[in-house]
Amino acid sequence: MIAIVSRLFARGDPVLSEAGPRDATAIAALHAASFHRGWSDGDIERMLLDRAVLAHRAAVGRNLVGFILSRVVVDEAEILSVAVGTARRGKGLARRLLDLHLRRLAGLGARAVFLEVDEDNVPARRLYGRAGFREVARRDAYYRDTTGKATAALVLRRDLA
């Protein structure tokens, strides 16, 4: 019976909550699967222990399926990373995480949020554009893919106040 209930919950909608140091290993694994240069468990754990870092996670049962991390300095925040597992992409989970995160940042007093996104990351650019971010700067040849091709980082901003 317990196995049946567990399988039912595993198929449900992801539950969003604040992330903490206990999530470092799972976040690092999802980050490594999502980006060319992943962060280590130690890197993630240090961020999650930093009082200036805010993190949210999406989980189905005990499985992490998405996260968002940002750093807050006075009245500005920078989104450091957002990732959603492959099986959950394109289903609105990143937008749910982003919306929750932006509300929490506003509640903490952030008036503006910045982030960098690879100009070739069309799904991410679409997500941020729909969420009200606008391009404020460009860093040419900032990222390199696995073949060595250089792409620009777009610096985006959204005002919260």
Side-chain angles (χ1 to χ4, degrees), residues 28-133:
L30 181 53
H31 190 275
S34 302
F35 297 99
H36 174 60
R37 291 177 45 205
W39 293 333
S40 72
D41 296 12
D43 293 334
I44 299 288
E45 184 174 20
R46 278 187 291 285
M47 283 186 245
L48 294 172
L49 289 169
D50 184 336
R51 294 176 62 167
V53 171
L54 177 66
H56 285 97
R57 66 189 187 121
V60 177
R62 294 183 185 159
N63 298 316
L64 181 86
V65 296
F67 72 87
I68 184 169
L69 295 165
S70 64
R71 182 178 316 276
V72 181
V73 178
V74 188
D75 64 348
E76 293 183 347
E78 178 186 9
I79 294 177
L80 304 171
S81 188
V82 180
V84 171
T86 306
R88 298 281 174 165
R89 291 182 187 159
K91 299 177 182 174
L93 180 56
R95 181 61 190 259
R96 287 180 54 210
L97 276 166
L98 181 61
D99 288 347
L100 170 65
H101 203 71
L102 292 174
R103 285 192 309 271
R104 183 72 175 109
L105 288 170
L108 292 171
R111 297 172 56 94
V113 180
F114 294 87
L115 62 88
E116 293 175 353
V117 62
D118 187 321
E119 69 178 339
D120 287 349
N121 189 340
V122 175
R125 290 180 61 191
R126 189 176 313 123
L127 167 71
Y128 300 132
R130 289 178 179 162
F133 284 85

